[in-house]
Amino acid sequence: MRQPTRGEYVNHPSQRGLYFTSSEHDQLRAEVRQWAELHVSPRIPQMESLRRVDVALSRLIARQGWIGVTVPPEYGGMGLGHLAKTIIIEELARISGAMGAMVQASQLGTAKILHWGTDEQKRRWLPAIAAGECLPTIATTEKGSGGQVGAIATTARREGDEYVLNGSKVWVGNSHVGDLHGVIVRTGEGSRGLTAFLVEATRPGCTLAPHPEMLGLHGFSFGEIRFDDCRVPIENRIGAEGDGLAVAFSSSVLYGRPNLTAVSLGIHQAAVETTNQYTSEVQRYGNPLSMKETIRNKIAEMQSNLMTARILAYHAADSLDRGLACDAELMNAKLENVKLSKRSVDLAMEIHAAYGLVSAHEVSRLYRDVVHIEPPAGTSDIQRVRLAEVSLGEARPEWSQRFSGELRASTAARERALSAPAEHPVVHAGESASPVPQPVL
């Protein structure tokens, strides 16, 4: 029986969202998929060969409005919620893990403003983010701290109505394309001595280190930001002094974990599709490779992994949309999606054998990309530590529960937005990677 081609997988059983998705979600998936295949896919060879940050493509994607998928409509956003966000990231990552990572990083950067920003900060920044005119980031990790947020050493010294920042942040998603960095710095001692700030990339004293050459996710920026007597006005502070740890943790749990789960899921889907197509086209002993029992067993395991991963991802995102306490589900979804996607990509490499060792082959790119998803927003070891706390009754108050009222209040607006007439996305002249008309979004 003929296997479906890459473009036929929208309604394939491996893509079923079961009872979590609506017809509007399915339409959104089809539209993002069409756009990504037309405008992102043709640029992958260049991104892979140059291994440089693709600023133009990042900006083009941002202008589709997808960064603002969880931004309320009153601020110009789509207001579609976390499951819609998962689908957008997944579909972009299915074509390019780098561009899926780009979108998720700036959606993560939006979280601190949505949950902790003042009305004035929301009015100032969210419309620009939703329009794709501003790419936010979140900058927490330092060379000397790793995943230990409490070990942050970058400082902010209060001088009148300003703070003076000194130090550096590493592994910042969208570091070299971002316009607005959400920075967690030290203003005092201990865990209550951390504070969050919004720092415009153009501020004097805010500079970028040369971008390192990474193993995978070519086209995505994941670099270092430096602060040398960088002055930031008090109105750029997010929350009160001492709220930095809460800003960092809540953003990581509610956005970082599900976002990276979605990137992993997109890469996973691509691995299954690529392997199915390869084994259906390649002939061995007079039959397609997919007819060999050993190969079919591996394909079956990949399919099982993918179906399990998708249920975990969608259930966690849907729970978040419904305002349910679901921190553990979000952590588990990332933990299992990373594990299952890496296993499936390993199986894909086994099936492709020597062909997978060719750097230009898609499965080789997927192999390099998937390993990037584990470290951000807490390594798998950190997820296990938190899940052990849940199992032993030692878990802290849940961030999803703290913001549950806000999440539930957005449900009605999201459902109205999903049912509203669609508008055309913005693609500026001369920036399209294909002359084909844009899909309706």
Side-chain angles (χ1 to χ4, degrees):
M1 183 172 64
R2 185 183 71 86
Q3 290 288 334
T5 64
R6 290 293 301 272
E8 294 175 328
Y9 266 87
V10 173
N11 297 314
H12 190 263
S14 65
Q15 288 277 166
R16 288 174 184 162
L18 302 178
Y19 48 82
F20 299 115
T21 57
S22 65
S23 59
E24 288 81 8
H25 284 119
D26 294 338
Q27 180 184 354
L28 177 66
R29 179 191 302 281
E31 291 165 351
V32 177
R33 173 167 295 195
Q34 181 184 359
W35 194 94
E37 289 177 343
L38 292 175
H39 300 284
V40 178
S41 185
R43 301 196 187 191
I44 290 176
Q46 184 179 48
M47 286 192 289
E48 288 298 303
S49 62
L50 296 179
R51 300 195 172 197
R52 293 201 298 260
V53 179
D54 196 326
V55 177
L57 183 55
S58 299
R59 296 289 178 184
L60 178 61
I61 292 173
R63 280 192 283 271
Q64 307 315 302
W66 295 325
I67 306 298
V69 62
T70 59
V71 174
E74 57 263 37
Y75 298 109
M78 299 173 73
L80 300 186
H82 290 271
L83 183 52
K85 171 165 62 66
T86 292
I87 290 169
I88 289 171
I89 298 170
E90 175 192 353
E91 286 303 320
L92 289 168
R94 170 184 170 267
I95 298 298
S96 166
M99 290 301 106
M102 186 283 295
V103 168
Q104 76 79 25
S106 276
Q107 290 169 339
L108 169 59
T110 306
K112 59 190 175 296
I113 304 175
L114 283 171
H115 292 151
W116 295 90
T118 63
D119 289 342
E120 181 180 351
Q121 288 169 336
K122 292 178 181 179
R123 289 194 301 270
R124 179 181 179 188
W125 296 113
L126 291 181
I129 291 170
E133 298 166 358
C134 173
L135 284 172
T137 75
I138 188 164
T140 303
T141 306
E142 299 180 6
K143 292 179 180 178
S145 66
Q148 185 185 0
V149 178
I152 283 175
T154 297
T155 61
R157 183 181 71 255
R158 179 78 178 265
E159 289 188 2
D161 291 334
E162 293 182 319
Y163 288 84
V164 183
L165 276 60
N166 281 283
S168 66
K169 298 291 180 177
V170 296
W171 313 133
V172 179
N174 283 346
S175 56
H176 286 56
V177 299
D179 303 295
L180 185 67
H181 304 304
V183 187
I184 312 297
V185 298
R186 184 159 295 286
T187 52
E189 299 296 325
S191 61
R192 290 290 300 171
L194 298 175
T195 305
F197 294 91
L198 296 172
V199 182
E200 298 93 333
T202 54
R203 281 201 173 271
C206 177
T207 58
L208 297 170
H211 198 278
E213 184 172 310
M214 308 301 289
L215 173 66
L217 297 183
H218 300 142
F220 174 58
S221 61
F222 193 47
E224 179 180 354
I225 304 174
R226 297 169 177 170
F227 304 99
D228 183 13
D229 288 337
C230 179
R231 292 185 172 272
V232 179
I234 191 172
E235 56 263 28
N236 280 29
R237 188 181 68 202
I238 291 286
E241 279 199 17
D243 282 343
L245 191 66
V247 172
F249 281 174
S250 62
S251 298
S252 178
V253 171
L254 301 181
Y255 274 73
R257 286 164 171 81
N259 287 9
L260 289 157
T261 296
V263 178
S264 178
L265 186 58
I267 294 172
H268 200 162
Q269 178 69 40
V272 170
E273 293 179 21
T274 299
T275 302
N276 286 347
Q277 184 169 349
Y278 173 78
T279 57
S280 298
E281 294 174 351
V282 172
Q283 296 285 317
R284 292 292 184 270
Y285 307 103
N287 290 301
L289 188 59
S290 61
M291 298 301 293
K292 299 295 293 181
E293 183 177 0
T294 54
I295 299 299
R296 294 178 77 86
N297 287 340
K298 292 179 180 181
I299 290 174
E301 183 179 344
M302 292 174 67
Q303 179 65 26
S304 176
N305 290 343
L306 178 61
M307 293 171 69
T308 301
R310 177 165 285 111
I311 290 172
L312 291 172
Y314 285 15
H315 173 247
D318 181 69
S319 297
L320 193 54
D321 279 339
R322 294 178 185 278
L324 303 177
C326 57
D327 287 22
E329 285 78 4
L330 295 167
M331 297 171 192
N332 188 54
K334 180 177 186 276
L335 174 67
E336 290 301 310
N337 264 264
V338 166
K339 179 176 70 177
L340 292 171
S341 63
K342 288 170 70 175
R343 172 58 180 164
S344 288
V345 173
D346 281 346
L347 289 169
M349 287 289 287
E350 290 180 14
I351 291 171
H352 282 77
Y355 288 103
L357 304 179
V358 179
S359 60
H361 199 290
E362 181 174 9
V363 75
S364 176
R365 173 170 60 85
L366 298 174
Y367 186 80
R368 296 192 304 271
D369 286 353
V370 76
V371 296
H372 278 255
I373 312 307
E374 182 172 356
T379 64
S380 292
D381 283 337
I382 290 177
Q383 311 306 327
R384 293 186 187 100
V385 167
R386 298 293 176 238
L387 288 169
E389 292 172 349
V390 171
S391 183
L392 295 169
E394 302 167 356
R396 306 163 189 178
E398 299 192 50
W399 290 110
S400 50
Q401 193 167 32
R402 174 169 177 173
F403 291 105
S404 62
E406 173 186 322
L407 293 166
R408 280 196 298 268
S410 68
T411 300
R414 180 177 69 254
E415 291 175 349
R416 288 195 299 270
L418 280 169
S419 301
E423 296 180 356
H424 290 278
V426 178
V427 178
H428 292 249
E431 295 178 330
S432 169
S434 168
V436 179
Q438 305 307 303
V440 175
L441 293 180

